Amino acid sequence: MTATDARPAAGNDKAGGTDAAGGDTVAAVVRQWRAVHPDLDTGPMEVIGRINRCAALLQQAEDAPLRRAGLSRAEFDLLGALRRTGHELTPSELARETFSSGAAVTKRLKQLTGRGLAERRGDTRDRRVAHVRLTDAGRALVDGILPEQLAHETAVLSVLAPEGQGELAGLLAGLLSRLEGRTAALRA
């Protein structure tokens, strides 16, 4: 199931289901798969499908201020990594911070330095190493966009009670920690 293969639905027909809002796109997909494969447990799809769909919808809305600033999500992530760490980073460190490939970081840095948002300087001891830092313009751009994104996130989460937000954050943190651990083990 993907975030784009679902159509609006009228409700969740699973006993004890999680469809409190009267229907969502994932409920329709789950019903369709149950009709085709009634022998399969589609329960995981209800969780993973909703996480993926929420992520896609949140990404679309959160990318609006980035598009207005002429940035991609990946470029903003690089600028954000430089801003939140508060110091210069090498391209390799930026790749680790942003879960990107070295080639992707190099390409994005070329665009960002060309726009005057970041600057590179060579290492005095090793000419193969570069250090990247934000320019004043880059810092101002990040500091201008971040409050707008946080306000949007606050508004989105306002449909959940504060304790529900905490519970959801805890559950997602547990899942993410497990997934990151599994991914690290697979790479080893």
Side-chain angles (χ1 to χ4, degrees), residues 29-113:
V29 170
V30 168
R31 277 195 308 278
Q32 291 165 349
W33 278 118
R34 283 191 194 136
V36 174
H37 286 289
D39 54 317
L40 295 179
D41 176 13
T42 57
M45 194 179 289
E46 293 189 54
V47 176
I48 303 299
R50 286 187 173 100
I51 289 172
N52 287 337
R53 183 71 176 138
C54 285
L57 292 170
L58 288 168
Q59 201 76 59
Q60 286 175 1
E62 285 196 344
D63 284 353
L66 302 180
R67 284 190 301 274
R68 286 193 296 275
L71 290 174
S72 69
R73 161 72 44 198
E75 290 168 336
F76 182 75
D77 287 347
L78 284 179
L79 296 173
L82 290 166
R83 181 66 174 121
R84 73 176 185 268
T85 60
H87 56 82
E88 294 181 345
L89 296 172
T90 65
S92 296
E93 291 167 332
L94 279 167
R96 279 192 301 277
E97 285 287 326
T98 61
F99 311 105
S100 301
S101 71
V105 167
T106 299
K107 178 183 175 186
R108 292 173 193 137
L109 283 176
K110 184 176 181 180
Q111 294 166 335
L112 294 171
T113 56

Side-chain angles (χ1 to χ4, degrees), residues 140-159:
L141 184 62
V142 171
D143 289 350
I145 291 173
L146 185 61
E148 185 177 351
Q149 287 196 302
L150 290 173
H152 171 72
E153 291 172 3
T154 299
V156 167
L157 292 175
S158 70
V159 300

Side-chain angles (χ1 to χ4, degrees), residues 116-165:
L117 300 173
E119 57 189 18
R120 297 172 72 122
R121 69 167 184 82
D123 189 281
T124 56
R125 294 176 296 227
D126 187 346
R127 292 178 20 172
R128 297 170 295 174
V129 176
H131 297 274
V132 182
R133 66 177 164 223
L134 280 178
T135 62
D136 290 340
R139 184 176 298 104
L141 184 62
V142 171
D143 289 350
I145 291 173
L146 185 61
E148 185 177 351
Q149 287 196 302
L150 290 173
H152 171 72
E153 291 172 3
T154 299
V156 167
L157 292 175
S158 70
V159 300
L160 300 174
E163 50 283 351
Q165 292 179 33

